[in-house]
Amino acid sequence: MGEGRHARVLRESTRLLAAGVSGRVFPGAASCVAYREGDDWTFAPAVAGKLAPDLEAVAVDTPFDLASLTKSFVAVTALRLSEAGELDLEAPAQDVLTDIRGGVADGASLEALLTHRSGLAPWGGLYLDVPHDPGSPAARRWILNEAARRTSDEGPGACVYSDLGYMLAGEAIARRAGTSLDEAVAERVTEPLGIADRVYFAGALPSDRRAALARAAAPTERCEWRGRIVRGEVHDENCAALGGVSGHAGMFGSARG
């Protein structure tokens, strides 16, 4: 008999990951290919390499910083809230973010924020200038107000991928849901999908789970701003300054998750 589909997927996935390790693209990696066979899903997880040259091998359940994949979970949360009649995507963001004044975000709809058409700049090193302790309510207010004022050269309506827009969208979603953003995403997306234990905001975890994550997660870099190797805490500095939970970054998860 010839090689089965599952074996072929595993072999090819492992080969590609191993090539990345040998080519020094990354020290280690994990992947998971999901496909349907009839009415059932089949998962083919693969791993290669180490978390770092001096650390253990990558495992199937190793947590990684999902970075901007966070945006997809936040966008689906907005759609679920809209479907339930709890969020008007056409409403100006200012209707929800009433304490954020000035800048292009004043007239942008929530849909414009979520579809990168608000006129906001792609990014800004806001964490470098925030005059408050990272993660404090004052820091969050300052960063969100500053994000609303950073405009792109293209202007409203143009499609410009924007972390800043998703920072504001995440705050608007949380306020409309009447809870924190991490709780809104869990309630509307990850819990219904049965993956809340595999995909989550690291910054919202209790201290014991954060400590465990710091031991298990793949490191991301040596961060000059924080003065240490970042492991088990969000890589994105703006998200870190916001407390680790934001609409644009902050979620961790395993490949299967």
Side-chain angles (χ1 to χ4, degrees):
M1 294 179 63
E3 185 179 36
R5 181 182 186 183
H6 192 69
R8 291 196 304 272
V9 171
L10 285 175
R11 176 174 53 79
E12 184 64 10
S13 296
T14 302
R15 184 189 70 79
L16 291 170
L17 296 182
V21 173
S22 63
R24 300 177 65 85
V25 177
F26 39 70
S31 70
C32 185
V33 177
Y35 57 92
R36 295 195 71 161
E37 292 185 317
D39 294 330
D40 299 319
W41 282 95
T42 296
F43 297 92
V47 297
K50 297 182 176 182
L51 297 175
D54 58 341
L55 294 176
E56 61 271 23
V58 175
V60 171
D61 59 352
T62 292
F64 285 80
D65 184 337
L66 299 183
S68 280
L69 286 178
T70 300
K71 295 182 178 73
S72 61
F73 288 90
V74 170
V76 174
T77 302
L79 292 174
R80 294 295 303 275
L81 286 166
S82 175
E83 182 181 50
E86 299 177 52
L87 183 69
D88 181 1
L89 296 176
E90 298 296 332
Q94 186 59 46
D95 287 359
V96 184
L97 305 174
T98 55
D99 55 335
I100 296 174
R101 302 288 182 182
V104 69
D106 259 355
S109 68
L110 291 172
E111 182 183 13
L113 293 174
L114 291 164
T115 56
H116 302 288
R117 295 183 294 107
S118 66
L120 289 171
W123 186 82
L126 309 182
Y127 68 97
L128 294 170
D129 300 318
V130 60
H132 308 285
D133 292 335
S136 66
R140 289 189 63 84
R141 286 193 298 270
W142 188 92
I143 291 172
L144 292 169
N145 271 281
E146 189 64 23
R149 292 171 169 81
R150 300 291 181 95
T151 60
S152 74
D153 295 333
E154 303 298 326
C159 188
V160 178
Y161 185 91
S162 176
D163 275 7
L164 305 186
Y166 262 77
M167 290 183 196
L168 297 173
E171 181 68 11
I173 289 166
R175 293 188 187 186
R176 188 57 77 205
T179 184
S180 62
L181 180 62
D182 58 281
E183 291 174 343
V185 172
E187 180 181 346
R188 309 289 173 160
V189 182
T190 58
E191 288 175 359
L193 289 175
I195 59 170
D197 60 335
R198 291 176 175 160
V199 181
Y200 41 80
F201 278 100
L205 296 176
S207 58
D208 58 334
R209 286 194 63 191
R210 285 201 304 271
L213 180 64
R215 295 189 296 268
T220 49
E221 71 161 357
R222 181 178 294 278
C223 176
E224 293 185 9
W225 177 57
R226 282 169 277 200
R228 61 179 180 273
I229 292 176
V230 176
R231 186 181 186 189
E233 58 181 312
V234 64
H235 173 223
D236 182 274
E237 292 91 345
N238 282 333
C239 182
L242 284 164
V245 177
S246 181
H248 74 293
M251 297 192 80
F252 279 63
S254 65
R256 176 157 178 167

